[in-house]
Amino acid sequence: MIEPGLFPVDPWSVSEPELCFDRLGQTESIFALSNGHFGLRGNFDEGEPHHTPGTYVNGFFETVPLPYAEAGYGYPEEGQSLINVTNGKLLRLLVDDEPFDVRYGTLQRHERTLDLRNGVLRREVDWISAAGQAVRIRSTRLVSFVQRAVAAIYYEVEAIDDPARIVVQSTLVANEPVPEQTDDSRAAAALRAPLISEYHTHNNIKAALGHRTRGSGLRMAAGIDHMIEGPDGTVISAESEPDLARVMVSTELAPGQKLTVIKLLAYGWSSVRSMPALRDQVDAALSAAKRIGWDGLLASQRAYLNDMWERADVEVEGDPQLQQAVRYALFQVVQAGARAEQRPIPAKGLTGRGYDGHTFWDMETYMLPVLTYTAPEAARDALCWRHATLELARERAHQLRLEGVTFPWRTIRGEECSGYWPAGTAGFHINADIADAVRRYVAATGDTEFERGPGFDLFVETARLWQSLGHHDAVGRFRIDGVTGPDEYTALVDNNVFTNMMAARNLQAAADVVARHPQRAADLGVDEHEVDSWLKAADSIVVPFDEELGVTAQSAGFTRYRRWDFEKTRDDEYPLQLHYPYYLLYSSQVVKQADLVFALYLCGDRFDLEQKRRDFEYYESITVRDSSLSAPIQAIVAAEVGHLDLAYSYLRETSFVDLHDLSGNTADGLHLGSLAGAWLAAVAGFGGLRDHGDTLAFSPRLPSSLTRLRFRLIYHGRRIRVDIGSDQVRYELLAGEPFEVCHYGEPVTLSQSSPQIHSYPPLDELPAIEPPPGRAAGRHGVGADGSGEGLVTALPRQ
């Protein structure tokens, strides 16, 4: 866990005021920059020391074998792994022939700041070499939101006190050694030096490298260009070889003189285009960036983010730490998806190789709700990527003897990459999660073109899956048996409520879209009989209920499983999956992460408030949160049923997951699902945002620890601000035509000229409830008063 106070509290930045060598892995992830197309880990400019060098291009991967002790039918034979591509962010510095390295000489000052307004990472260093030469180094790094293929680094060296001979080497390097992340020798061998050179070139202040992968056959090109200002007599040279290209700048600085190197970096890749085409693409991107220059790149970055914060900002009063964390979380979610443009959004974004860079259901269920209401074009692109993988999902369904499509549990290109059968194959709910993301996007944007096209295909083919996966029992109920819901501690169960309710919504949405677009239905061979079968299944879906306890069973028979002995479970035995056998987990009432509680949120229109409260309180006592994905969902439902302080603790937990390294693995990359969960917990939790019906509905309420919460969102092109105080809420339409929202079930008409102010209904006093012993809510490393708390350990995905 990162100790409290490492990052000073600031509402618009995250700063590291001094270098912490033992936190390099975490800070490399925390200071990562990305635009969704490619990303740069927050490694030092000079490259060393490092925890994990990282430059990632979205969708660029190598294939790896998937080993099995005992293979089975339908097991994927090959996996995919995101790889560290050609590193172009290196700028090595020599001062009087001595390499600048923070481990040597005297480091007088070292500060890094991630600027959330400007979208840049700044670094300032005062260093004295072992020979006594003092220099000041300033660098600013950006990955452009506007010029998708481009990154830029402003690098300045100033001599202090005495003249200094300076050499800056601006480098491209491929096949850097990186830490191996697998114990399997075959997979490790496939990822060791995965790039094969196809060309290298240099010319004065430009250089480029082109490579392809050994197994996946993907091609990529990386190029660098420069703008250099230095004293008279500055000398520039360049060289290249298959895995290395560099431009060298040599000069002598008088005291107070500066050398400035502006490095422009561009990436291109393809599975089908030729290397000459990729080389031309990179050259064009560099030329466009050089035309507007450093100041132009900075200005366009600031303009992009100004617009983003105007439409998406979340303001928190009463907890300055939380304000910083929530803004940081939103910034990283936007970075992950802004320019992905029909590529997936990995669970770690492009900040590290955790989970091999795979995309999970996190994308549709955590990240896309945020993007739908803040950057809808990015949500559309992500769904278009899912649609582009439809044929692969259809092939997977056919392999599993099912109709329609079966989308992968984890993937990069669209093939299933999980060999863990209970989740990788039986976690069918991902298909309904995708359909629900389509439903939400269309409802929030009115994008009928998308609905008629990719959305229609996704609705219909996922509905066909459920019709073939489930069956009607002897009394006519529609059952879906042998599946795994979100709770991977209760796998291969019958009638998981989350899966069944999401499937029913999927089936109903598919029937509705067929009625709206009959010609498309005819094109896909959807007839009246098929639609009737969907509606019959949706209307008769099984929802297990324990009449004796008065609670909804997470799955059939779940409330009759043995109770887990939490009192005898030591703190060091979490996560449970690493210390207890599956048979014991699968047959016990212990929940890894929100499952039935997730259904209370996403399918909340199927439960009344009193039932939600009983269900939430029952499952709160057995949910251990061995996944970082759980806290935001528990926060949302806790807020809805009236446990506001508990919800606040969970909001803090999810918001600080990476800034305080609560899961102990931030070094592998950020937890994008959990960071998106910070927005969800604030907006859907305390803002009470729900989108079950034909318009937005709000039921806002604040915990005692917060004095105000404001958030902005986009709906059908309109810009809306919701301002929640301690006893009333103000709804404002900032841009767009008047429309109607719901406040605690009552219609409210918003127009730009008439903000609406409403109070809250009385809140029932509820007795406090607690999670399982040792798993207290708000295990977020730092209390609201800045004091230390316990440690959350996240369960590695299988």
Side-chain angles (χ1 to χ4, degrees), residues 317-338:
E317 292 183 10
D319 187 340
Q321 272 191 331
L322 183 61
Q323 173 68 88
Q324 178 186 40
V326 168
R327 277 210 180 104
Y328 174 79
L330 180 56
F331 176 79
Q332 289 295 352
V333 172
V334 170
Q335 280 206 135

Side-chain angles (χ1 to χ4, degrees), residues 511 514 521 525-535:
V514 164
V526 181
D527 58 23
E528 185 176 332
H529 173 74
E530 185 172 20
V531 173
D532 286 345
S533 72
W534 294 346
L535 293 174

